[in-house]
Amino acid sequence: MVLPAFLLGAEEAENLTRPQGELIFLRDFGSDEVGYLAIPEQKPEAGIVVAHGKFGLCMATRTLCDRLAGAGFIVLAVDLFNGSVPKSPSDIDQHMDAVSSAATVSAIETGIHFFKLSPRFKMDKVIVLGIGESTRDVLAAARKNRTLSGVTLLEPKVLPTADLMNQIGAPVLAYVSTERNITVDVDAVNAAAKAPLTMKLMPEVIYDDMQEFKRHINDRVWEEVIDHWKKLELHERSIADKLIDSVF
């Protein structure tokens, strides 16, 4: 079992360089997307859909999925770059320019459908994690799929309004970097929203390491996120959800 970095010693954490999950096709769940699936050894507490940032479905993203699986979740990272991974800073820009918001939302929805419809991996408790550049599209996908137990955003580009929170219908936890100039009246949003929006500042600034070619996020954030996920309640299933179950 692969544990999160904050549960490991420094030497053990550095040795986590080889992802242990597997790439799967998601053709049966809404599109021809590919995803990276990491399965825990014990019964999973929830299904986590990961929408990566500008570094793509790279080695660091896959290792993150393994670590979250080690904490007791079944994790599916959807590939938003159609099988390609940026190799340099300039390559990142090309990848970002080539991806449409509609395609990204569709890929995230496919990940949600995987946990809702898969005969083997169906989960009642489904959470979406959006990192960096994907967070805007994560919110759009969550608005269209009102069956989530929660949404978590790391270094989001935007935060949801009260109206969007009501459309999502699930708690949103957002970790905002001190480098981001995001202004939102969280109290005003929560006064008008049925589901809570929680905004936290990152304990350390997120930074991009171009030598290792990945985004570093403070381990304390993952510790808090995992604790938050475990406390989230199951989404109250609607009649429409139950009808879908009867069909599939």
Side-chain angles (χ1 to χ4, degrees):
M1 177 172 64
V2 182
L3 296 177
F6 62 84
L7 296 179
L8 298 172
E11 183 176 346
E12 291 174 294
E14 287 184 2
N15 289 332
L16 282 177
T17 58
R18 185 176 181 181
Q20 299 178 21
E22 62 178 341
L23 288 173
I24 63 170
F25 288 101
L26 300 170
R27 295 190 183 99
D28 294 335
F29 306 100
S31 70
D32 288 333
E33 306 296 337
V34 172
Y36 180 80
L37 182 65
I39 304 173
E41 291 187 352
Q42 69 271 43
K43 181 179 178 180
E45 300 202 31
I48 310 298
V49 180
V50 176
H52 60 71
K54 63 186 178 183
F55 293 102
L57 194 56
C58 60
M59 193 71 70
T61 301
R62 300 181 191 193
T63 301
L64 168 63
C65 294
D66 291 342
R67 291 175 175 176
L68 295 178
F73 302 96
I74 181 168
V75 186
L76 175 67
V78 290
D79 185 359
L80 307 179
F81 289 164
N82 299 315
S84 181
V85 176
K87 299 295 191 299
S88 67
S90 61
D91 202 18
I92 286 177
D93 294 335
Q94 293 178 7
H95 278 73
M96 295 300 299
D97 291 341
V99 177
S100 71
S101 180
T104 300
V105 172
S106 176
I108 297 167
E109 287 187 283
T110 298
I112 296 171
H113 294 159
F114 173 82
F115 285 123
K116 292 297 180 180
L117 304 177
S118 171
R120 181 181 177 189
F121 300 110
K122 184 176 179 181
M123 299 295 299
D124 290 326
K125 187 175 179 180
V126 180
I127 300 157
V128 177
L129 167 65
I131 302 175
E133 291 69 22
S134 69
T135 51
R136 189 187 302 270
D137 295 325
V138 162
L139 291 173
R143 179 181 62 81
K144 297 172 65 177
N145 295 267
R146 294 174 53 86
T147 60
L148 298 174
S149 293
V151 176
T152 300
L153 309 174
L154 298 182
E155 198 186 16
K157 302 301 182 182
V158 295
L159 288 178
T161 62
D163 181 58
L164 181 54
M165 285 296 301
N166 284 327
Q167 293 180 59
I168 292 172
V172 175
L173 170 63
Y175 279 88
V176 179
S177 168
T178 54
E179 295 180 345
R180 293 284 177 207
N181 184 23
I182 295 180
T183 57
V184 61
D185 189 336
V186 176
D187 291 336
V189 170
N190 286 329
K194 296 178 182 178
L197 167 64
T198 303
M199 185 181 77
K200 295 187 176 185
L201 290 178
M202 300 291 293
E204 292 178 6
V205 176
I206 294 178
Y207 66 95
D208 296 338
D209 185 339
M210 289 304 173
Q211 285 189 332
E212 296 186 19
F213 210 65
K214 62 183 178 180
R215 173 173 281 144
H216 292 262
I217 297 173
N218 188 293
D219 278 339
R220 184 153 60 88
V221 172
W222 294 123
E223 186 174 8
E224 292 177 359
V225 166
I226 288 170
D227 183 63
H228 170 76
W229 287 347
K230 291 184 176 182
K231 292 178 180 177
L232 285 175
E233 298 180 357
L234 291 176
H235 186 277
E236 184 177 348
R237 298 179 62 74
S238 66
I239 295 176
D241 294 336
K242 294 176 181 178
L243 286 173
I244 290 176
D245 286 346
S246 67
V247 173
F248 290 91

